Amino acid sequence: MSTSLTPLNHALEQLLADARVNSREVDLPLREALGCVLANSRSAAIDVPAFDNSAMDGYAVNTADVTDAGCVLPVSQTIAAGHPGTPLVAGSAARIFTGAPIPEGCNAVVIQENTARDEDRVTILQVPVAGENIRGKGHDIARGSEVLKAGHRLRPQDLGMLASLGIPAVRVKQPMKVAIINTGDEVIPPDQELGPGQIYDSNSFTLEGLLQGMGMTVIRKGIVADTLAGTQAVLQEAAADADCILSTGGVSVGDEDHVRQAVQSLGSLDLWKLAIKPGKPFSYGRVNGKPFFGLPGNPVAVFVTFAMLVRPYLLKVQGASQLALPTLRVRAGFDISEAGSRLEFIRVRLVSDQEGEQELQPFGNQGSSIMTSLSWADGIAEIPLGTTISRGQMLNYFPFNGLL
Ligand code: AMP
Ligand code: MG
């Protein structure tokens, strides 16, 4: 094993080159498809809206009948949403409500505020132009047009848009099953009393939330003691149940770190020292043929390596077209006078300076075990290797909401 540090982009390239895209597909009702990856492109079978309708409450007219402001028309019918009217009697107006079909013979809707009603007559106070306040058939989505491409990850608004087309279910890539294993004799679940030298498991909660946010299925393998036999047994089980295995802790070179030996006995493992901070110890391999990621133990390092390496890998396997984390360019609101020897990911908040311009402020303690830094922050800023930072310099910023 070489002692030099592996740059993040090299590690990512290797991982992505090794990712085998999952070909399994399932049909899911829209309500269960959030975060899933669309298996095929979708086109509209209908126009949306399917008929010309009123954008406002008012009076539907034919502009030929309204030549001057102040003209008075008889009100010949009332048309509510869901209740189509009849063709317009020439020279009259139809009372109409938002979403109601425009009757034949009308080409504009005069909003209620520009009219005065007196029993069965209405005065039109402003001359309308043809097409005014009419939402034309197909003006949102034209029948036959492609609305989403294969590989798109479904967001809440995509589900709504598909529903507007009368699509109740979608074919998606089968959500991956990802097993989580947390190693450490000192680690216990948060519902137990803390004994001497023990800490609560936080990593499994963070990882589970991240995976669920990506529409994946989590298989909790729980906490495993620092023994070779125990680690081998849980890895075997995980490889049988899941499409991919994530473990935290136990990948350093300490005597109690058994993950490396256990994985190697069941497959293969590459241990990397990544040129990033936090997140230096990172490993990738296979257990009984299933991809395996050995993440660090420290919670912030787990989060960062998941975001930068595991997430794009899983998205590729899942068939997603967009793998990289959404990145913004934002001003640093701080200085760093000493250049680092690793690419650094610092936890930051987006704040406004005195002029109302947005800038990034870092959390005070950037240690890799400091969970509050993640909880406090809005996202992560990237500090390039070997550079100092002065306030106002543009940095890559990854907002946390881009992780889901
Ligand atoms: P290790 O790589 O196993 O030496 O772990 C590195 C650090 O991460 C140690 O301080 C561990 O106690 C801590 N750690 C390991 N697993 C977890 C976990 N599931 N939740 C929180 N901290 C952990
Ligand atoms: Mg450990």
PDB file of all heavy atoms in Angstrom, residues 37 99 159 179 236 265 314-315:
ATOM      1  N   VAL A  37     -35.695   6.771  -8.930  1.00  0.00           N
ATOM      2  CA  VAL A  37     -35.157   7.158 -10.237  1.00  0.00           C
ATOM      3  C   VAL A  37     -36.070   6.611 -11.331  1.00  0.00           C
ATOM      4  O   VAL A  37     -36.337   5.403 -11.373  1.00  0.00           O
ATOM      5  CB  VAL A  37     -33.735   6.600 -10.410  1.00  0.00           C
ATOM      6  CG1 VAL A  37     -33.212   6.864 -11.809  1.00  0.00           C
ATOM      7  CG2 VAL A  37     -32.798   7.219  -9.371  1.00  0.00           C
ATOM      8  N   GLY A  99     -61.073  28.210 -13.023  1.00  0.00           N
ATOM      9  CA  GLY A  99     -60.976  26.774 -13.332  1.00  0.00           C
ATOM     10  C   GLY A  99     -62.159  26.257 -14.128  1.00  0.00           C
ATOM     11  O   GLY A  99     -62.134  25.108 -14.582  1.00  0.00           O
ATOM     12  N   LEU A 159     -43.888  14.469  -8.719  1.00  0.00           N
ATOM     13  CA  LEU A 159     -45.033  13.588  -8.457  1.00  0.00           C
ATOM     14  C   LEU A 159     -46.327  14.334  -8.755  1.00  0.00           C
ATOM     15  O   LEU A 159     -47.244  13.796  -9.369  1.00  0.00           O
ATOM     16  CB  LEU A 159     -45.020  13.105  -7.001  1.00  0.00           C
ATOM     17  CG  LEU A 159     -43.769  12.319  -6.573  1.00  0.00           C
ATOM     18  CD1 LEU A 159     -43.865  11.909  -5.112  1.00  0.00           C
ATOM     19  CD2 LEU A 159     -43.576  11.081  -7.445  1.00  0.00           C
ATOM     20  N   ALA A 179     -27.306  -1.910   3.515  1.00  0.00           N
ATOM     21  CA  ALA A 179     -27.128  -2.346   4.905  1.00  0.00           C
ATOM     22  C   ALA A 179     -26.184  -1.390   5.630  1.00  0.00           C
ATOM     23  O   ALA A 179     -25.207  -0.921   5.055  1.00  0.00           O
ATOM     24  CB  ALA A 179     -26.572  -3.760   4.941  1.00  0.00           C
ATOM     25  N   GLN A 236     -21.495 -11.227   6.383  1.00  0.00           N
ATOM     26  CA  GLN A 236     -22.117 -12.317   5.601  1.00  0.00           C
ATOM     27  C   GLN A 236     -23.621 -12.065   5.466  1.00  0.00           C
ATOM     28  O   GLN A 236     -24.183 -12.157   4.382  1.00  0.00           O
ATOM     29  CB  GLN A 236     -21.957 -13.667   6.330  1.00  0.00           C
ATOM     30  CG  GLN A 236     -20.556 -14.142   6.474  1.00  0.00           C
ATOM     31  CD  GLN A 236     -20.224 -15.199   5.410  1.00  0.00           C
ATOM     32  OE1 GLN A 236     -20.756 -15.150   4.304  1.00  0.00           O
ATOM     33  NE2 GLN A 236     -19.343 -16.129   5.751  1.00  0.00           N
ATOM     34  N   SER A 265     -11.375 -11.517   4.236  1.00  0.00           N
ATOM     35  CA  SER A 265     -11.635 -12.963   4.310  1.00  0.00           C
ATOM     36  C   SER A 265     -12.864 -13.357   3.481  1.00  0.00           C
ATOM     37  O   SER A 265     -13.052 -14.514   3.154  1.00  0.00           O
ATOM     38  CB  SER A 265     -11.815 -13.399   5.768  1.00  0.00           C
ATOM     39  OG  SER A 265     -13.073 -12.941   6.248  1.00  0.00           O
ATOM     40  N   LEU A 314     -23.779   5.415  -5.117  1.00  0.00           N
ATOM     41  CA  LEU A 314     -25.110   4.802  -4.996  1.00  0.00           C
ATOM     42  C   LEU A 314     -26.054   5.337  -6.072  1.00  0.00           C
ATOM     43  O   LEU A 314     -26.843   4.585  -6.649  1.00  0.00           O
ATOM     44  CB  LEU A 314     -25.706   5.071  -3.599  1.00  0.00           C
ATOM     45  CG  LEU A 314     -25.008   4.401  -2.420  1.00  0.00           C
ATOM     46  CD1 LEU A 314     -25.683   4.808  -1.106  1.00  0.00           C
ATOM     47  CD2 LEU A 314     -25.027   2.873  -2.568  1.00  0.00           C
ATOM     48  N   LEU A 315     -25.961   6.641  -6.341  1.00  0.00           N
ATOM     49  CA  LEU A 315     -26.848   7.215  -7.368  1.00  0.00           C
ATOM     50  C   LEU A 315     -26.539   6.626  -8.737  1.00  0.00           C
ATOM     51  O   LEU A 315     -27.433   6.396  -9.538  1.00  0.00           O
ATOM     52  CB  LEU A 315     -26.728   8.739  -7.393  1.00  0.00           C
ATOM     53  CG  LEU A 315     -27.346   9.457  -6.193  1.00  0.00           C
ATOM     54  CD1 LEU A 315     -27.082  10.951  -6.278  1.00  0.00           C
ATOM     55  CD2 LEU A 315     -28.847   9.187  -6.102  1.00  0.00           C
TER      56      LEU A 315
END
